[in-house]
Amino acid sequence: MLKFDDLTVKFAGLTAVSGLTLDIPEGRIYSIIGPNGAGKTTVFNCISRFYSPTSGTIEFEGRDLAQIKPHQVIGLGISRSFQNVELFSKMSVMDNLLTGLHSTLSHNIISISLKLPSIRKTEVEARKKANNILDMFGLTRFANEKVENLPYGYQKMVDIGRAIMVNPKLILLDEPVAGMNAAETDKLCGLILHLRNQMGITVLLIEHDMSLVMKVSDHITVMNFGEKIAEGTPAEVQQNSAVIEAYLGEVEVDAEA
């Protein structure tokens, strides 16, 4: 589904990503891990077209993403959440979810202003979808609450919920459990598995919570100083000496937990 071929990204002489080659198959939960500054979010920003590679290519379903404008990426079936929550804090949870559909709407200003039947039908369908996501995330009681009044962990869930409003083929999750407590992390773990197992969404995950990564990942790539230093199943990565030295330290993580 997603292929990186010798991807390199430089900023004013600083190499953020160096010669990264990956193949991410459809229907998997694929994680990219590594210390802060390893280049992980830079990879996401290249997929989203916020950054352009210095060299190398990224292909999504055979299409060169370098030929795609940033606002067109979502139309290919790629959506994302953000490391720092990017929500409309003064708007309700429901309205934040509905904004996730803005790129899919094709009505003109006349039909919108006249509230034609097609507009009303679209609104009903959008709210039904949003209510389903609220139920999935256990956020129904917060539908009309301003986002700024929610605990940070719940705001992260709203951010992810908005990303799946468009029924993406691939979702990029950038540190989704950062700032969450243990109960919220456990719930999101189940939701990530739900995205793959029940909704058929391929997940590309960046996360520092190794317990979560080992529980949900089918495959893991490890980066350090912009380079790929290891890849494999959770069990293989857990035992890799280069990974232990660069990132995991001496802490053992139960891959079967």
Side-chain angles (χ1 to χ4, degrees):
M1 173 178 275
L2 188 67
K3 181 178 181 179
F4 299 77
D5 185 9
D6 200 24
L7 181 75
T8 295
V9 184
K10 296 182 179 181
F11 301 105
L14 173 67
T15 302
V17 178
S18 178
L20 182 65
T21 296
L22 295 177
D23 278 298
I24 299 171
E26 185 177 2
R28 302 288 185 91
I29 299 175
Y30 197 113
S31 292
I32 301 177
I33 67 172
N36 288 329
K40 307 181 299 296
T41 297
T42 298
V43 170
F44 270 23
N45 285 335
C46 286
I47 299 169
S48 301
R49 297 294 294 121
F50 298 158
Y51 298 160
S52 294
T54 304
S55 61
T57 60
I58 306 175
E59 292 184 356
F60 178 72
E61 295 187 325
R63 296 189 65 175
D64 183 358
L65 289 184
Q67 306 304 315
I68 304 298
K69 295 179 180 179
H71 70 274
Q72 296 174 323
V73 170
I74 195 168
L76 298 180
I78 302 173
S79 65
R80 71 175 290 180
S81 69
F82 291 86
Q83 182 176 346
N84 299 311
V85 173
E86 301 286 348
L87 296 170
F88 299 100
S89 62
K90 301 294 184 182
M91 290 168 55
S92 70
V93 170
M94 170 62 79
D95 287 341
N96 268 275
L97 292 182
L98 293 175
T99 62
L101 291 174
H102 79 279
S103 64
T104 67
L105 301 179
S106 58
H107 300 293
N108 60 46
I109 189 65
I110 295 176
S111 60
I112 293 172
S113 61
L114 294 177
K115 285 284 186 177
L116 296 180
S118 61
I119 295 296
R120 292 195 294 272
K121 180 181 178 181
T122 298
E123 288 181 352
V124 169
E125 292 174 348
R127 288 186 176 274
K128 181 179 179 180
K129 178 178 289 188
N131 280 320
N132 288 338
I133 290 175
L134 288 172
D135 183 62
M136 183 193 312
F137 282 80
L139 296 173
T140 300
R141 66 188 185 278
F142 299 118
N144 297 314
E145 187 71 53
K146 288 184 178 180
V147 164
E148 65 182 358
N149 296 332
L150 267 59
Y152 185 73
Y154 283 19
Q155 291 184 28
K156 297 278 284 191
M157 291 184 187
V158 175
D159 190 33
I160 297 169
R162 182 177 61 179
I164 63 176
M165 282 288 287
V166 292
N167 298 321
K169 300 175 184 178
L170 170 68
I171 187 169
L172 315 178
L173 300 180
D174 193 350
E175 297 194 27
V177 302
M180 289 189 176
N181 60 37
E184 292 167 344
T185 297
D186 189 58
K187 179 176 179 60
L188 191 60
C189 177
L191 288 169
I192 292 172
L193 292 170
H194 180 86
L195 295 180
R196 180 196 62 190
N197 298 341
Q198 274 69 52
M199 300 182 70
I201 300 173
T202 302
V203 178
L204 183 56
L205 173 70
I206 292 174
E207 185 51 62
H208 283 295
D209 187 320
M210 288 299 100
S211 178
L212 173 71
V213 169
M214 296 299 172
K215 285 179 182 178
V216 304
S217 302
D218 296 306
H219 200 87
I220 300 171
T221 286
V222 187
M223 295 181 65
N224 195 25
F225 296 111
E227 297 183 349
K228 178 173 67 175
I229 62 170
E231 64 180 350
T233 65
E236 290 168 344
V237 166
Q238 179 181 326
Q239 300 300 324
N240 187 291
S241 59
V243 177
I244 294 172
E245 180 181 354
Y247 187 58
L248 295 180
E250 298 300 324
V251 178
E252 293 186 0
V253 182
D254 185 356
E256 299 181 356

